[in-house]
Amino acid sequence: MAEVTIGIPVYNGQGQLVECLDCLVNQTFSDFEILLFDNASTDETEAIAKRFAALDSRIQYTRRSENIGAVKNFITPLEQAKSPFFMWRAHDDVSSLDYIEKLVAALKRAPSAALATGTIQFERPNGRPTRDYVPAIPIERGLSAILKLMFGSHAGWYYGIWRTKTLQSLIGRVWTEFPYAWASDHLTLYSLLLDQQVTAAPDTKFIQRVTPKAHGPRTGQRQPIPELLELRREFLKCCNAMVDERAFDPFTKLAIKTANHFYVGKRVYPMKKIIKRTLFRY
């Protein structure tokens, strides 16, 4: 059994899949398997995937006979993973060649951590990178550190390396209690932020590409106001429930729940934007 399972869900990824797979097969860490699930692509994705799989036995390629939806195709690699560590990789993202090696080492140095992340960089549609988002993981424990993690966390952390069993249990809960794709990544991370179970290797980098073809306009900008309000309510409800489950003292619980009202605006959709859209009807 491989030490790391990498899940790649893809649909019509011919433009970026070659570079994604090149990045993975050339990692300095080699003890991994790739579970690549093709959601019935209509472009050259199948040919590209089969070519790589023929050259590298670590790649297991599965083509869907019909499109089953993005969420199910995304979750399937995790459901099948048996390795101790798991990582998702979108077909249009890349990383440093030592990314897996550095993150696995970080997790092994921190046995209480369930997720390791590197530095995050967005790449704009024109190919220009943004500034680096360097993870700042507090050394101290307690309320101050939890709040720093909450507001300093980044969506790109989701594409770090997880302890598989922890992620499987979190995903099962999140998709049961919060069956929305929008902001589900942050809700999955939230439990680890409360428990301070995140570690980092800032000297390696994950490059997340934001392209109109791959992602389209931001989901929140397309959703009706009532749906955004419902998303905010449900996200906040789930966060508060996670706080209540923990043995925090009353003051700490109150402080985190108060912070959650600001956190939901940062991670789901800001209330001021909802008010603006309501007033100007766009």
Side-chain angles (χ1 to χ4, degrees):
M1 179 178 65
E3 192 166 17
V4 178
T5 295
I6 304 169
I8 306 179
V10 61
Y11 174 71
N12 286 356
Q14 66 177 17
Q16 302 89 13
L17 185 58
V18 169
E19 190 173 4
C20 169
L21 291 174
D22 268 333
C23 173
L24 292 174
V25 300
N26 288 298
Q27 288 284 307
T28 55
F29 183 94
S30 61
D31 188 14
F32 62 79
E33 63 176 357
I34 295 174
L35 304 183
L36 198 165
F37 282 86
D38 178 356
N39 207 7
S41 295
T42 59
D43 63 359
E44 294 301 310
T45 292
E46 180 178 12
I48 294 168
K50 285 183 173 179
R51 184 170 74 247
F52 272 86
L55 295 172
D56 196 318
S57 61
R58 295 174 297 179
I59 301 175
Q60 300 177 37
Y61 172 66
T62 301
R63 175 177 169 81
R64 310 281 191 188
S65 58
E66 60 183 11
N67 192 301
I68 63 169
V71 171
K72 179 61 178 175
N73 197 53
F74 185 84
I75 296 298
T76 303
L78 176 62
E79 292 176 335
Q80 296 190 4
K82 294 180 174 59
S83 304
F85 303 116
F86 181 86
M87 180 183 81
W88 270 302
R89 177 60 57 90
H91 76 272
D92 53 345
D93 294 335
V94 292
S95 66
S96 304
L97 293 182
D98 62 359
Y99 185 74
I100 300 177
E101 178 186 2
K102 293 286 180 66
L103 296 195
V104 169
L107 273 177
K108 289 181 176 180
R109 288 194 302 269
S112 63
L115 169 68
T117 181
T119 290
I120 311 298
Q121 181 184 92
F122 278 117
E123 187 176 285
R124 302 178 191 274
N126 59 11
R128 289 197 307 121
T130 63
R131 67 180 178 86
D132 289 349
Y133 296 84
V134 181
I137 309 299
I139 299 175
E140 72 274 13
R141 307 288 295 180
L143 175 59
S144 175
I146 292 171
L147 295 178
K148 287 178 183 177
L149 277 174
M150 285 172 57
F151 292 97
S153 62
H154 192 285
W157 290 11
Y158 197 67
Y159 293 91
I161 290 187
W162 299 74
R163 295 193 191 276
T164 305
K165 290 183 178 179
T166 300
L167 180 57
Q168 287 171 336
S169 65
L170 287 173
I171 287 292
R173 175 177 182 175
V174 166
W175 285 104
T176 298
E177 300 180 7
F178 187 80
Y180 309 98
W182 184 250
S184 62
D185 50 355
H186 288 293
L187 193 57
T188 305
L189 289 166
Y190 186 74
S191 178
L192 272 59
L193 307 182
L194 292 179
D195 296 333
Q196 296 185 242
Q197 291 183 315
V198 182
T199 189
D203 55 341
T204 191
K205 186 179 293 187
F206 172 66
I207 302 169
Q208 192 166 25
R209 290 169 170 167
V210 183
T211 62
K213 180 177 179 181
H215 300 278
R218 286 177 60 86
T219 304
Q221 293 175 344
R222 298 198 304 266
Q223 288 177 291
I225 297 298
E227 291 184 14
L228 288 173
L229 291 172
E230 178 67 14
L231 276 171
R232 285 174 54 94
R233 282 193 295 268
E234 291 301 314
F235 188 92
L236 180 60
K237 178 182 175 181
C238 290
C239 289
N240 285 341
M242 292 182 192
V243 174
D244 282 334
E245 292 168 359
R246 284 160 172 79
F248 295 136
D249 63 79
F251 174 78
T252 298
K253 282 191 177 183
L254 178 61
I256 296 174
K257 285 186 175 183
T258 301
N260 281 343
H261 288 276
F262 300 94
Y263 186 71
V264 69
K266 186 176 178 66
R267 300 310 183 196
V268 181
Y269 201 74
M271 196 65 197
K272 64 180 180 180
K273 288 190 176 182
I274 291 177
I275 294 171
K276 184 178 179 181
R277 282 182 56 180
T278 302
L279 291 175
F280 296 98
R281 298 184 183 280
Y282 70 89

